[in-house]
Amino acid sequence: MAEQYNLTGLSDAEAKEFHSIFMPSMYGWFSLVVLAHVLTHLRFPWI
């Protein structure tokens, strides 16, 4: 049976593997960004 590909050109298995790597990386990046903004606000508060 031939694998079916989505609009991205990835098979379902490849898309799930990419998603399993991408999501934790995105959460880590957002956490870092929020932490940087909080620390900046604590050091240089704005109105």
Side-chain angles (χ1 to χ4, degrees):
M1 182 176 199
E3 291 189 39
Q4 292 183 342
Y5 289 93
N6 297 319
L7 293 175
T8 61
L10 298 175
S11 67
D12 284 342
E14 292 170 333
K16 287 179 182 179
E17 181 181 356
F18 176 79
H19 185 266
S20 70
I21 296 169
F22 178 79
M23 290 305 291
S25 301
M26 185 184 71
Y27 291 144
W29 176 253
F30 284 165
S31 299
L32 181 66
V33 167
V34 168
L35 177 64
H37 280 82
V38 168
L39 292 175
T40 302
H41 177 68
L42 291 174
R43 179 68 176 98
F44 305 107
W46 57 85
I47 298 175

